[in-house]
Amino acid sequence: MILEKVINKIEIQSEYKEFVDKYIDHILTEFQDKIHSIYMCGSIPKGTATPFKSDADFTIICANPKDIDYGRLSAIKDKLLAEYAFVTKIDTIICSMDEVLSKPNEWGFWVKIICVCVYGDDIGEKIPPIIISPDFIVDLNRETKEEIERIVQRILSNADDRTLTTRYIKGYSKRLLRALYSLILEDTGVWEDDMLEMKNALLKYCAIDSGLVEYLYACYLDSDVPVEEFLGIANEVYRYFENALNRMAASRTSFE
């Protein structure tokens, strides 16, 4: 089964159009010929963004990520957030062309399936069709453990800052739900980026305790929960995910 693109048509709402255009203009002006292409994912390119609730998610593809100075990138972000207060946050991922092309089930998946090109030549078109399979699911989660460890460290390091822990708990909840969802792709046949639909699919297809899924989704919506309680439940969910992924990897190896 071929995995289809999440966003097939760009439908940026009028109130966000100027913001997106200015982001692209600032990036191109600041970094000039170092940019190959720019992508977006999430509610803004889908046309479902909500002012003062939705954030902006960009991905920049370039020959060498070291060419993009994060300090200058941060200055662009701060300027735009001050000008467009209804955008809650701007996240920017930077990736090399080589990574996209050499890792089709990881970075290739991100650019080809999750994102949509808003500037430049869409490198996702050079990625072969992605077939939903255990191989793909294992490859897709190759860096999940490291990502989870980084998020946990951020929560622990900022335990006294409720604003930051709230943000990280929300992000961790979303990351775990996405990891669990990857396990059931062979059942759903599509990548779902709507969190409610993702939760409902997990309740239908995932063998994990439904109460854990409901807890994570509640934390994604409102992450004002005790840190120790959350980390304990999140760890239980991650152990389930890791065991399921290991079984999948082992079954794949046994047929090689």
Side-chain angles (χ1 to χ4, degrees):
M1 184 183 302
I2 295 176
L3 193 58
E4 300 295 331
K5 197 170 184 67
V6 170
I7 304 173
N8 291 307
K9 181 181 178 182
I10 302 174
E11 298 185 7
I12 299 173
Q13 296 142 282
S14 57
E15 60 264 47
Y16 288 92
K17 186 69 170 63
E18 183 181 89
F19 158 74
V20 173
D21 289 343
K22 280 198 175 182
Y23 177 93
I24 294 171
D25 288 343
H26 283 314
I27 293 296
L28 297 180
T29 299
E30 187 68 40
F31 300 108
Q32 300 178 3
D33 58 350
K34 295 179 175 64
I35 304 299
H36 172 270
S37 46
I38 301 174
Y39 304 77
M40 292 194 76
C41 64
S43 60
I44 292 179
K46 288 177 68 177
T48 59
T50 302
F52 300 101
K53 289 187 177 181
S54 299
D55 54 12
D57 296 295
F58 292 94
T59 295
I60 294 174
I61 304 297
C62 55
N64 184 2
K66 292 181 180 179
D67 289 336
I68 310 300
D69 182 88
Y70 279 89
R72 290 152 66 189
L73 189 63
S74 181
I76 292 173
K77 179 195 72 172
D78 292 342
K79 180 178 181 180
L80 289 174
L81 287 175
E83 187 173 354
Y84 299 94
F86 57 85
V87 179
T88 59
K89 185 176 62 165
I90 301 174
D91 286 330
T92 301
I93 295 171
I94 303 173
C95 183
S96 73
M97 296 168 62
D98 286 344
E99 286 178 307
V100 175
L101 296 174
S102 65
K103 299 178 179 180
N105 286 349
E106 299 166 65
W107 283 111
F109 158 80
W110 177 257
V111 172
K112 184 180 183 68
I113 303 300
I114 303 297
C115 296
V116 61
C117 187
V118 293
Y119 168 80
D121 296 326
D122 187 356
I123 197 172
E125 294 181 356
K126 296 183 179 181
I127 303 297
I130 294 177
I131 308 300
I132 301 174
S133 67
D135 281 0
F136 164 67
I137 295 169
V138 171
D139 286 346
L140 180 61
N141 286 289
R142 200 167 295 281
E143 297 182 4
T144 298
K145 181 177 181 179
E146 289 74 16
E147 293 173 5
I148 293 297
E149 289 174 348
R150 283 195 295 269
I151 297 174
V152 171
Q153 187 56 49
R154 287 171 184 166
I155 293 174
L156 293 173
S157 299
N158 296 279
D160 295 331
D161 187 328
R162 194 59 211 176
T163 300
L164 282 178
T165 54
T166 295
R167 182 192 306 171
Y168 292 142
I169 286 174
K170 179 183 176 74
Y172 191 8
S173 300
K174 183 176 182 179
R175 186 65 187 87
L176 282 174
L177 289 168
R178 286 167 60 94
L180 289 175
Y181 186 81
S182 71
L183 298 175
I184 62 170
L185 274 174
E186 291 184 291
D187 296 300
T188 65
V190 297
W191 183 268
E192 182 59 70
D193 69 342
D194 180 281
M195 296 307 293
L196 177 58
E197 294 299 323
M198 184 177 286
K199 182 202 78 167
N200 290 337
L202 287 170
L203 294 177
K204 182 176 181 179
Y205 295 112
C206 191
I208 195 173
D209 184 342
S210 62
L212 296 175
V213 174
E214 294 284 9
Y215 180 88
L216 286 181
Y217 183 71
C219 289
Y220 165 74
L221 295 177
D222 181 7
S223 51
D224 187 20
V225 296
V227 171
E228 288 187 7
E229 173 192 290
F230 172 79
L231 289 178
I233 292 178
N235 188 50
E236 182 178 353
V237 173
Y238 181 73
R239 283 200 307 271
Y240 170 89
F241 162 78
E242 188 172 46
N243 289 336
L245 192 68
N246 287 340
R247 288 194 298 271
M248 193 176 291
S251 67
R252 179 184 68 169
T253 303
S254 66
F255 288 104
E256 292 180 350

